[in-house]
Amino acid sequence: MTDSPLSDLETTDAAPPASNWRPTALSIAVVLCCTAIFGGLLTGATQLWNAVLPAAGGAALLAGAISLAAATAYRPLSRFVAACLLLPASAGVVAGLGYVFAKQLGGTYPVGSVFVVVSLTAAGFGAAAAVRDTLESDALESALAVATVASLPPTFAFVPLAIVRIFEEFSATLYVPVLVPDPVPAAAFPGALVGGVLRFLVAPTHEGPHLFSFALVCYLAVIGLETVLRTYPVADLVRPNKPEAADRVLDPLKRGLTAATTLGTLVVFILGILFLAPRGFEMLPATILDPVTTLAGVDILRVVLFLSGVVGILLGIGSWGLRRFYDASKDELGKSTPSLVAGSAVVIGAFTLHEPVLTALLDAILDVLPAAYAGDVQTQADAVMAFYGGEVVVLGLCAGLLFVAAVAFAVLYGVVNIGVMTDRAAGAAVAGAGLFVASAVAATVGAGTTLVLAGLVGGLIVRDAGTHGVTLGHEIGRLGETRRAELVHLAVTAIVGVVAAIAAVGLADFLGRIPALDGSGLSLALGGAVLGVLFFVVALR
């Protein structure tokens, strides 16, 4: 009889899904809505739409890229999308900040506009990052890896093309002593350089003893042999039945080759100095110099040593690559390939779409710049495109924008790891701080007192709601009943902010009646109110 009620109960070992331990839905809604509403009101009051929209939109895309780079589900696809978002995200941020800077420089926007746009951009970034609370060390490390790998293809395509353009313009002919002694056209220089290196190693013709090149060939052969012995099961191949017997011979040989590699580094360095110094080899005694010079003059020996070294190194690299490929898990293989594919797509796009991109970009820049600067910029831009070519210019711009994203992630990663900013509820903290600073600075750009105070209160609510939502998400989870506690907490925070705002208005009115302060009453009132709110929050905690 007593067992019957228990028979209806079911036990399970299943844990809540990982998505349960995220910020609560209500806190995310509060952070997003408050940031969007107050950010929009501040932007409208300051008339900075043309700068805030692209900058904040790009910052939100950067936050989305961080979330996708750290995602565990559909990792190759998520990393590919994250890499694809980096270019428009960086372009939006750079375009928005560059626009407001140019307008403020030209006098169209008042002083302080740049700080408002920067603060609202940070608020948009923080609000987007608060959705999944992704400003954590691991997520930022993943985003940094994605940005770095994605920037490699356009960078490696841009640098040699730009160098070739420079060589073609400033050097009709090029030469390198010993390797390319006779000047050759710049276009033929790479091939001549490779041929000169091979000739220097295999069949040198320069004056003086050829000891340095012979030492390089011997060093290459030693490295090749050591690489093969350490990457292939040579003992099993030589003595399949008794590999331990072969190991007794091969182990001392491996140790000897390691010692020869170490000693060879010093020998090559010394011979290199003697090769560069005038009459350097004359310092060697004839009893050593003469037989070694004779040995170094045997061309067939040089060819054998060179080929054995190159083949050994290539075999070692191939073996290492195959082992890495088969030992790597699907997760490891999916880390870099999607980013490389996205970066390669950027290179292809630069070669196929450079003309319309440059035309649209130049038109937009000329429309923003003051008339006094537009003519000079047009002249310089035409000269740069004529010199490098449109595809090289677009490749450089893309590589630069991806580098900006990588630097931004590296800075955030460093800030989080050294403890300047905690990685818990960091997104809400950035959003609240950005909204708070934007509201404070907007007072100097044309925003009214009521909106400024509302924005300050909104920044406080965003910061506190986001932090509380992250705490509840980590401790109780999104499946738990937390809405009532969140609403009470939000109500208390809002009441504290409103009381502080009313106190600031009253204090400003009171201080405004004191002639000695002469208009600084609002600043003092705001400062006192903010200090009071901070002390109150500290006391509550």
Side-chain angles (χ1 to χ4, degrees), residues 314-539:
L314 291 177
L315 288 174
I317 294 174
S319 173
W320 175 82
L322 287 174
R323 285 204 312 271
R324 290 281 298 176
F325 179 80
Y326 285 109
D327 292 342
S329 64
K330 293 182 179 179
D331 180 66
E332 291 175 340
L333 291 175
K335 286 183 178 180
S336 301
T337 304
S339 302
L340 285 174
V341 172
S344 302
V346 171
V347 175
I348 296 173
F351 278 98
T352 56
L353 302 174
H354 61 274
E355 291 185 2
V357 169
L358 286 176
T359 302
L361 180 62
L362 186 58
D363 290 342
I365 293 175
L366 294 178
D367 289 340
V368 171
L369 290 175
Y373 299 100
D376 293 338
V377 171
Q378 175 76 62
T379 303
Q380 295 296 328
D382 291 340
V384 169
M385 286 187 286
F387 180 81
Y388 289 103
E391 63 279 5
V392 179
V393 173
V394 173
L395 279 173
L397 291 174
C398 293
L401 290 173
L402 292 173
F403 179 74
V404 167
V407 170
F409 293 150
V411 170
L412 288 171
Y413 179 75
V415 166
V416 169
N417 275 275
I418 64 179
V420 175
M421 180 176 66
T422 177
D423 60 353
R424 185 163 184 171
V430 172
L435 196 58
F436 192 93
V437 174
S439 302
V441 180
T444 65
V445 189
T449 303
T450 303
L451 179 57
V452 170
L453 292 173
L456 294 175
V457 175
L460 174 65
I461 292 175
V462 167
R463 170 70 175 86
D464 202 52
T467 304
H468 191 237
V470 170
T471 301
L472 291 177
H474 280 278
E475 295 179 357
I476 300 176
R478 305 183 72 175
L479 299 179
E481 182 55 46
T482 60
R483 184 162 301 177
R484 181 175 299 178
E486 287 184 272
L487 290 174
V488 172
H489 189 89
L490 284 173
V492 172
T493 303
I495 290 171
V496 171
V498 171
V499 169
I502 294 173
V505 173
L507 188 58
D509 182 65
F510 172 75
L511 294 175
R513 299 175 184 176
I514 303 176
L517 295 178
D518 192 20
S520 59
L522 179 60
S523 300
L524 291 173
L526 286 176
V530 170
L531 253 141
V533 171
L534 291 177
F535 287 146
F536 183 72
V537 171
V538 171

Side-chain angles (χ1 to χ4, degrees), residues 43-68:
T43 304
T46 55
Q47 295 299 310
L48 296 173
W49 288 108
N50 291 338
V52 172
L53 284 180
L61 288 179
L62 281 179
I66 296 175
S67 299
L68 290 171

Side-chain angles (χ1 to χ4, degrees), residues 23-97:
T24 60
L26 181 59
S27 69
I28 293 173
V30 170
V31 170
L32 292 177
C33 290
C34 286
T35 304
I37 291 172
F38 289 111
L41 292 174
L42 290 169
T43 304
T46 55
Q47 295 299 310
L48 296 173
W49 288 108
N50 291 338
V52 172
L53 284 180
L61 288 179
L62 281 179
I66 296 175
S67 299
L68 290 171
T72 55
Y74 306 103
R75 172 159 286 190
L77 178 61
S78 63
R79 284 187 170 242
F80 175 76
V81 176
C84 291
L85 290 178
L86 294 178
L87 192 60
S90 298
V93 174
V94 172
L97 298 182

